[in-house]
Amino acid sequence: MAENLTTTITSESKTVEIHRSNPTVIIGERINPTGRENLLAELKEGKFDIVRSDAQKQVEAGAAILDVNAGVPGADEEPILKEMVEILMEVTDVPLCIDTADNPALETALSTYKGKALINSVNGEEARLESVLPLVKEYEASVIGLCMDDDGIPQTPQDRFQVAAKIIERADKLGIPPQNIVIDPLALTMGSDHNAGRIAIETIELVVEEFGVNVTMGCSNISFGMPDREHIDSTFIAMAILAGMTCPITNPLHEEVNLAVQAADLVMGRDEYGMNWIKSYRARQKEE
Ligand code: THG
């Protein structure tokens, strides 16, 4: 069993330490135009009101890090992502997770960002390892490593583990320590493969056992195409936390999912005297 590593992500004024004995770190997923017509339309017009309000709402709901994705089909990502990063630094003080597959946009975002960012993401593809890892090193950032490579997404936990091992090894060769790598086993949708949840959970167990690294997943993918998604998402997220996931990418505004995370932390002994749970209960009562 490897020692549990600490991944440190910072903004100008805040430090977030991701570790298996700390409360789960929610990475808020909402600032992403994929499947959101209103945000997409706004970004196309060069407006950022939804970005601002989504940032504030997610932080209020408990997001400790905000994912920022500027993937507007047909538009140049670089200036949009840069402006989103600038705006987010203005309206919130939480650290950012920069979600892009466009290397020039990533580099510009990293040079704009004040702090130690979480890059989302690299994977086991040769071209990505070669383009992203040098930026991780140069900016002393951390990076999410997706368990997929030039052959696609492996079907078995063992093969996904091998991709994680390759990413960690290639990073190490450049002098990037494993605490700066956050592994994403990939939560695929159970609508197309009923084993998707089990494969993800078993991959978490393997990488945690061997490397002690921190683990994330885009948790809401799992229930895509299923009815009554929040029940599935909240069960999946609690099970993944038990397996070792430390920083889920999810929507903290979904109350059932948010409460599952808080309850899982309580059960795992990461909520001293249950103070976080009691505080959040009182805040909910006040709202009613
Ligand atoms: N792993 C990593 N990064 C990721 C993902 C992952 N980034 C993107 C994605 N997957 C996680 N982010 C989202 C963002 C939004 C939604 C799902 C995952 C989503 N949106 C609603 C929809 O499409 O129905 C629309 C939003 C709304 O209006 O509520 O579900 O796996 N490393």
Side-chain angles (χ1 to χ4, degrees):
M1 185 86 192
E3 177 201 348
N4 286 322
L5 302 174
T6 303
T7 303
T8 305
I9 313 294
T10 72
S11 61
E12 246 187 321
S13 62
K14 279 215 163 122
T15 296
V16 174
E17 294 200 320
I18 309 169
H19 186 275
R20 221 132 3 243
S21 53
N22 290 348
T24 298
V25 167
I26 293 177
I27 303 174
E29 74 182 9
R30 297 272 298 162
I31 304 171
N32 183 335
T34 315
R36 289 187 71 192
E37 289 303 330
N38 56 351
L39 178 55
L40 198 61
E42 205 195 63
L43 293 179
K44 278 184 183 160
E45 288 172 38
K47 285 175 34 192
F48 297 90
D49 294 337
I50 299 172
V51 171
R52 286 188 187 88
S53 68
D54 274 351
Q56 270 149 356
K57 280 189 235 161
Q58 289 186 104
V59 171
E60 266 167 41
I65 294 175
L66 293 176
D67 188 88
V68 50
N69 180 304
V72 176
D76 182 8
E77 229 179 287
E78 192 174 345
I80 305 174
L81 185 62
K82 179 179 160 68
E83 190 154 3
M84 284 165 94
V85 167
E86 284 167 346
I87 284 166
L88 289 171
M89 287 193 294
E90 251 170 59
V91 298
T92 100
D93 56 3
V94 302
L96 300 182
C97 173
I98 298 170
D99 191 351
T100 178
D102 180 304
N103 233 51
L106 175 60
E107 176 141 31
T108 299
L110 288 170
S111 66
T112 303
Y113 183 63
K114 300 190 186 94
K116 186 176 181 311
L118 180 58
I119 296 170
N120 190 6
S121 55
V122 72
N123 60 41
E125 290 170 12
E126 271 311 313
R128 301 285 297 156
L129 290 166
E130 281 165 24
S131 59
V132 177
L133 290 181
L135 293 177
V136 177
K137 172 77 178 166
E138 182 183 342
Y139 287 91
E140 293 174 34
S142 290
V143 66
I144 295 174
L146 307 180
C147 292
M148 56 183 283
D149 63 12
D150 293 292
D151 298 322
I153 302 174
Q155 287 288 338
T156 68
Q158 289 73 23
D159 290 346
R160 288 199 197 170
F161 167 84
Q162 290 304 336
V163 178
K166 173 163 102 177
I167 295 168
I168 291 167
E169 188 189 308
R170 291 289 291 271
D172 182 67
K173 279 198 178 136
L174 291 181
I176 301 163
Q179 59 267 28
N180 288 7
I181 311 288
V182 175
I183 293 297
D184 184 341
L186 294 176
L188 302 184
T189 163
M190 291 192 299
S192 51
D193 177 4
H194 68 279
N195 284 307
R198 180 185 58 76
I199 293 167
I201 301 265
E202 288 181 19
T203 307
I204 298 175
E205 290 169 345
L206 292 173
V207 297
V208 168
E209 166 84 23
E210 181 69 21
F211 300 113
V213 289
N214 284 298
V215 173
T216 186
M217 280 195 292
C219 288
S220 33
N221 299 343
I222 199 81
S223 61
F224 204 79
M226 284 287 179
D228 245 355
R229 292 181 63 180
E230 286 202 26
H231 299 305
I232 302 172
D233 289 348
S234 56
T235 299
F236 178 63
I237 210 165
M239 293 173 77
I241 289 169
L242 173 62
M245 179 180 68
T246 43
C247 48
I249 301 170
T250 185
N251 181 354
L253 302 174
H254 285 164
E255 188 173 47
E256 192 178 337
V257 174
N258 199 336
L259 289 176
V261 171
Q262 293 173 35
D265 282 343
L266 183 64
V267 172
M268 298 292 279
R270 297 173 190 169
D271 181 1
E272 217 174 337
Y273 306 111
M275 290 310 289
N276 289 340
W277 181 262
I278 292 163
K279 237 196 307 186
S280 107
Y281 169 71
R282 291 203 176 124
R284 290 197 299 285
Q285 271 197 322
K286 228 173 159 184
E287 265 174 34
E288 281 165 20

